[in-house]
Amino acid sequence: MTIDEKLDSLGIVVPKIAPRGVGNYVSWTISNNTLYTSGQLPWKDGEFGVLAYTGRVGSDLDIKQGYDCARICAINAIAQLKDAVKDLERVKKIIRLDCHIQAAEGFKDHSDVLDGASDVMNQVFGERGIHTRSAIGIYQSPLDVPVIVYLIAEID
């Protein structure tokens, strides 16, 4: 099964146009055979300017909503991958996911939130999707987004 077929079977709709950055930077870059995305925000349906969630996980949002937010960010990261390589079969390995979580004071379930992004990568890319990661709690985020996901992938 191809990656595109896998996405269809999972009911995951990847935005046709990858969300653009909100500042003076590129959304992705490639060095040698490694692709790096800028932080991916929870743009609803990949639509720039329409956020699916805002606020802090642990006060404004519960863990389930944080998980969904991370999932949306991961789907937007896949859109960046597709924008960069055109054919997702060129992705050899998801190397790393890094995540910043705008969390309420005392929140300790960052890993449960980032599982939303990890589950997408593992389901979509199978063995190629198994990755390392870090989940970091932050006090304030750009645009008041609850989750920002960064992806590093090996491509052919």
Side-chain angles (χ1 to χ4, degrees):
M1 182 179 294
T2 68
I3 299 299
D4 286 331
E5 290 169 342
K6 187 68 168 176
L7 288 164
D8 286 342
S9 75
L10 293 167
I12 296 174
V13 178
V14 175
K16 294 201 183 300
I17 299 173
R20 63 186 167 117
V22 296
N24 296 331
Y25 59 90
V26 294
S27 298
W28 55 264
T29 191
I30 297 172
S31 178
N32 297 318
N33 288 351
T34 306
L35 183 140
Y36 302 82
T37 70
S38 294
Q40 297 302 299
L41 305 182
W43 298 117
K44 187 172 184 176
D45 301 322
E47 186 177 336
F48 182 78
V50 181
L51 292 167
Y53 294 98
T54 59
R56 292 184 189 286
V57 180
S59 59
D60 304 314
L61 287 82
D62 61 24
I63 293 171
K64 185 175 188 265
Q65 291 168 310
Y67 176 100
D68 188 51
C69 188
R71 184 178 186 285
I72 293 167
C73 292
I75 293 167
N76 288 333
I78 292 171
Q80 298 298 344
L81 283 172
K82 194 163 192 167
D83 185 55
V85 300
K86 307 307 179 226
D87 180 0
L88 291 172
E89 295 305 316
R90 291 187 55 204
V91 176
K92 290 176 70 175
K93 179 80 178 151
I94 303 300
I95 297 170
R96 184 167 182 84
L97 291 178
D98 289 314
C99 181
H100 291 148
I101 299 165
Q102 180 177 241
E105 186 174 340
F107 184 78
K108 295 183 174 86
D109 296 315
H110 301 78
S111 185
D112 293 338
V113 171
L114 184 50
D115 281 347
S118 289
D119 289 349
V120 167
M121 294 304 158
N122 295 336
Q123 291 166 351
V124 170
F125 292 98
E127 287 292 317
R128 295 184 280 171
I130 299 170
H131 54 276
T132 64
R133 70 181 202 179
S134 64
I136 309 293
I138 60 173
Y139 179 72
Q140 199 67 46
S141 69
L143 305 177
D144 195 32
V145 296
V147 177
I148 305 169
V149 172
Y150 309 79
L151 178 138
I152 301 171
E154 179 185 5
I155 57 173
D156 70 9

